Amino acid sequence: MSLESTYHVQIRATAYSRDHNMRILNTMAARAIPLVPRSLIRKISRRYIAGETLFDARARIDVLHAAGFRTTVDVLGETASSSDQAESMARDYLNLVQELGVENEPTELSIKLTALGLHLDESACVTRVSMILRAAALQGISACIDMENISCTQKTLDAFLKLEADGYPVGIALQSYLVRTNDDIVPLQARKSRMRICKGIYAEANEHLVNGASKDRAAINAHFVRHVTSAIEAGSFVGIATHDADLIDTLTDWLERERIDRSRFEFQMLLGVCEPLRDALLAQGFNVRVYVPYGHDWYGYSTRRIKENPRIAGYILAAMLRSPLAR
Ligand SMILES: Cc1cc2nc3c(=O)[nH]c(=O)nc-3n(C[C@H](O)[C@H](O)[C@H](O)COP(=O)(O)OP(=O)(O)OC[C@H]3O[C@@H](n4cnc5c(N)ncnc54)[C@H](O)[C@@H]3O)c2cc1C
């Protein structure tokens, strides 16, 4: 074996062992979350969630807009278990639109279809979303349909295609960790649909994932780059939703090399995550949109995310250790 290949084997072995140790730590942290006092989760989640009320959201959005960011606003909510619950969520979005529309700012809505009844009655869900999008469009506000777990993927695509065909200004999130995205993106590119490309947050079975492995970061990133570049080349507007600095470097290199106009894409990041990276992109003149979740379901949102992706438990655990509140 040459010196070079021995060196590569050693690097891979070290990286494997580091990833393996991180996974064990993160899984332990995820299991420990129910033991963490609710008050502490609440304090930590303040960084990631704008607050419980429309007033809280408005205040956070104003600060972001004043700093030059765009926003996309998500009303936190559980999967609707009754049509009343879905209707209540639709009303929350309509109130949000009314509040946002007053000054017609650089904002959009992020919408989870399950909160609007996707699993109860697809057609009623689409009717509710249409109502929200119509009200939003009147105020010059667009929307993005979030992508949820694999049980929702096809229904979400179907609903999106209908809403888009009806002429609403709407985009859809696609997950680069899913094999099926390779096919799902093709008709969307042909239509120049507006897209958000993200890695994907849910704990899916390996059979659905690229390379059949849940933690194959290199494969997920390669797909991410391919989806972003091919969608932009096809003429879609693309939201590049990641905090992964290497991935962002690779994409900014490509975007600059190909002289892609900055009006054809934007970077997107979650509220409270990797703020220095977000600020640096803005300072370089890129458009950056911040995902702003708010609502009463802050605990459900936080703990669900932690259970769905133990990796995030590691972030929360680190925040707990850093936070004076944890001491
Ligand atoms: C605007 C936006 C919209 C999204 N919409 C969807 C969606 O519709 N459907 C979906 O499945 N997923 C969605 N996601 C989540 C996404 O799929 C990833 O799970 C998440 O962004 C983490 O992956 P990453 O690309 O940042 O890369 P990673 O490699 O996971 O993370 C890169 C670095 O970012 C930091 N980081 C990442 N997440 C956090 C966090 N929560 N707290 C603190 N630090 C963090 C860490 O330092 C990490 O090392 C969205 C993400 C963003 C930014």
Side-chain angles (χ1 to χ4, degrees), residues 48 72 112 145-148 173 175 177 196 198-202 217 221 224 241-245 247 268-270 272-274 289-291 309 311-312 315:
Y48 304 108
T72 183
K112 286 195 173 49
I145 307 294
D146 285 1
M147 188 56 83
E148 302 177 69
Q175 300 152 325
Y177 67 4
R196 170 200 297 159
C198 62
K199 290 189 188 180
I201 187 81
Y202 300 90
R217 194 158 184 256
N221 283 10
F224 194 111
T242 182
H243 317 93
D244 184 329
L247 196 47
Q268 299 186 348
M269 298 200 188
L270 301 174
V273 177
C274 296
R289 192 178 294 279
V290 180
Y291 188 101
N309 185 352
R311 187 172 217 178
I312 286 183
Y315 307 144

Side-chain angles (χ1 to χ4, degrees), residues 37-283:
R38 197 179 160 95
S39 58
L40 182 56
I41 297 268
R42 185 188 185 115
K43 280 172 183 148
I44 291 166
S45 69
R46 268 191 204 139
R47 182 184 171 90
Y48 304 108
I49 294 169
E52 290 193 32
T53 66
L54 198 46
F55 180 76
D56 296 329
R58 175 87 243 180
R60 197 67 88 94
I61 291 164
D62 284 347
V63 170
L64 288 163
H65 288 174
F69 292 102
R70 302 171 174 183
T71 51
T72 183
V73 191
D74 168 46
V75 183
L76 293 170
E78 296 286 345
T79 298
S81 52
S82 67
S83 59
D84 281 355
Q85 222 180 333
E87 291 294 330
S88 161
M89 178 55 86
R91 278 196 299 280
D92 285 348
Y93 267 103
L94 290 171
N95 290 336
L96 171 64
V97 165
Q98 209 175 11
E99 179 68 31
L100 291 173
V102 177
E103 291 167 42
N104 192 16
E105 285 144 337
T107 197
E108 70 171 24
L109 309 177
S110 274
I111 298 177
K112 286 195 173 49
L113 296 186
T114 58
L116 289 152
L118 185 70
H119 288 321
L120 301 170
D121 178 340
E122 282 173 59
S123 150
C125 171
V126 170
T127 304
R128 288 183 196 106
V129 182
S130 302
M131 193 168 59
I132 296 166
L133 297 185
R134 198 175 311 121
L138 287 174
Q139 312 271 33
I141 298 171
S142 58
C144 181
I145 307 294
D146 285 1
M147 188 56 83
E148 302 177 69
N149 69 30
I150 194 92
S151 73
C152 309
T153 312
Q154 191 57 51
K155 289 181 191 174
T156 304
L157 283 160
D158 293 344
F160 165 73
L161 290 175
K162 167 139 195 10
L163 293 162
E164 191 196 47
D166 287 346
Y168 294 112
V170 64
I172 186 167
L174 292 179
Q175 300 152 325
S176 72
Y177 67 4
L178 286 188
V179 178
R180 62 169 291 163
T181 299
N182 290 332
D183 298 326
D184 292 339
I185 200 169
V186 175
L188 301 181
Q189 288 177 346
R191 298 156 68 110
K192 300 190 187 343
S193 299
R194 189 182 169 98
M195 292 176 221
R196 170 200 297 159
I197 307 292
C198 62
K199 290 189 188 180
I201 187 81
Y202 300 90
E204 305 292 6
N206 284 354
E207 67 192 271
H208 301 301
L209 300 170
V210 295
N211 276 12
S214 61
K215 301 290 174 195
D216 192 340
R217 194 158 184 256
I220 294 168
N221 283 10
H223 280 237
F224 194 111
V225 170
R226 188 148 57 78
H227 296 324
V228 168
T229 54
S230 63
I232 290 176
E233 278 169 344
S236 290
F237 178 88
V238 178
I240 304 170
T242 182
H243 317 93
D244 184 329
D246 294 340
L247 196 47
I248 290 172
D249 277 351
T250 305
L251 285 166
T252 48
D253 284 352
W254 180 81
L255 291 160
E256 302 287 294
R257 203 169 51 245
E258 298 298 317
R259 298 175 189 277
I260 305 293
D261 194 280
R262 291 182 178 188
S263 63
R264 296 181 52 205
F265 66 93
E266 66 188 11
F267 289 97
Q268 299 186 348
M269 298 200 188
L270 301 174
L271 184 71
V273 177
C274 296
E275 289 174 349
L277 184 55
R278 174 190 95 174
D279 296 347
L281 286 168
L282 190 71

